[in-house]
Amino acid sequence: MTVSHYVVLRAGARPRSQIEIKKSRFLGYAARTASEDEARDFLALVRREHREARHVCHAFVLGPDRSIQRSSDDAEPSGTAGVPILKAIAARQTSPGLTELSDTTVAVVRYFGGIKLGAGGLVQAYSEAAAAVLDAAPLVDRRRMRLIELDLPIGEAARIETRMRAQGTRIESVDYQADRVRLRIAVPDEPAELDAMLTALAAITAGEASPVLGAAVWHDLEAASRR
């Protein structure tokens, strides 16, 4: 099934958290990352900031379908750090009953406090640290949109653009030519949404414009902010 929307961290957000368990400090960091290269660049920044830390464990989930999932225990006992962090991301409820968070990397830095936590204690600590930083993360919906292009007479373009903006239509670009204006809009890439928009465009332009469906693009919907 093709994914048409998912949830991401707000662009530019860099949430942080800190918890302490038996004198060990666990510092959580999260970032929005669209690729494995971006995830690794973010992790490199965290490691540079914490060169003296014993462990910088991490996990990331990437892609609209969340098909890329990686984790690392970074020398903690196998399965006690990276997997709990990964589960915190993958199981994060973004709305009741839905787990749609992706394009997200979480790093948890541990400064050892001298008291061993045991495998169960480590799993709980890394789970809590990852959950804490995700609690602090502002989230937005990310939706696949379909571009629609309209070539309009220059004398009608301003009126049509104004009416479409008033209706909340997302205007991608307006290109002025000698006697025409090319208007490009973005509509949720769902059959019902596209049909409704094409019907509305026919009414607004009195059937004189011939909309052309273009490429699919992804957009953050800031109006749907989760925090």
Side-chain angles (χ1 to χ4, degrees):
M1 183 176 65
T2 302
V3 176
S4 61
H5 67 276
Y6 61 109
V7 176
V8 295
L9 272 67
R10 182 181 297 145
R14 286 291 187 271
R16 299 185 176 198
S17 68
Q18 177 173 321
I19 64 173
E20 183 172 322
I21 299 176
K22 294 183 178 179
K23 297 185 179 180
S24 282
R25 286 190 300 135
F26 294 84
L27 310 179
Y29 297 85
R32 176 170 168 177
T33 52
S35 67
E36 292 198 47
D37 284 343
E38 287 188 15
R40 299 190 193 288
D41 287 345
F42 167 66
L43 294 167
L45 288 174
V46 174
R47 289 191 180 97
R48 283 199 293 272
E49 185 176 343
H50 296 280
R51 289 187 175 89
E52 296 180 0
R54 179 171 292 191
H55 306 284
V56 181
C57 306
H58 74 266
F60 53 79
V61 176
L62 307 176
D65 58 359
R66 312 206 305 171
S67 60
I68 300 173
Q69 301 189 10
R70 306 277 189 271
S71 66
S72 170
D73 295 311
D74 193 32
E76 290 280 33
S78 178
T80 63
V83 170
I85 297 170
L86 181 60
K87 288 182 177 179
I89 303 170
R92 187 76 176 183
Q93 287 202 19
T94 51
S95 56
L98 295 177
T99 53
E100 302 173 304
L101 182 61
S102 192
D103 289 355
T104 299
T105 300
V106 172
V108 177
V109 179
R110 181 190 182 192
Y111 284 95
F112 184 54
I115 301 174
K116 293 184 177 181
L117 302 182
L122 287 172
V123 169
Q124 182 177 353
Y126 280 103
S127 296
E128 290 181 3
V133 73
L134 291 175
D135 285 344
L139 305 178
V140 296
D141 288 330
R142 187 160 173 79
R143 184 171 292 272
R144 192 180 68 241
M145 312 286 280
R146 180 68 59 176
L147 298 181
I148 299 178
E149 292 186 356
L150 285 172
D151 277 336
L152 304 169
I154 198 165
E156 292 292 312
R159 176 187 67 82
I160 292 171
E161 179 186 352
T162 298
R163 185 169 173 182
M164 293 173 68
R165 288 188 185 278
Q167 293 177 348
T169 303
R170 187 177 189 124
I171 307 294
E172 289 286 295
S173 64
V174 182
D175 298 325
Y176 290 90
Q177 301 169 7
D179 60 347
R180 309 285 294 176
V181 175
R182 176 165 293 175
L183 196 65
R184 185 179 290 110
I185 64 176
V187 181
D189 194 14
E190 303 282 356
E193 298 268 10
L194 291 170
D195 288 346
M197 178 55 67
L198 293 175
T199 298
L201 291 174
I204 293 171
T205 64
E208 295 183 1
S210 298
V212 176
L213 293 180
V217 294
W218 288 90
H219 280 302
D220 292 0
L221 302 185
E222 289 295 337
S225 175
R226 303 301 179 95
R227 186 184 303 278

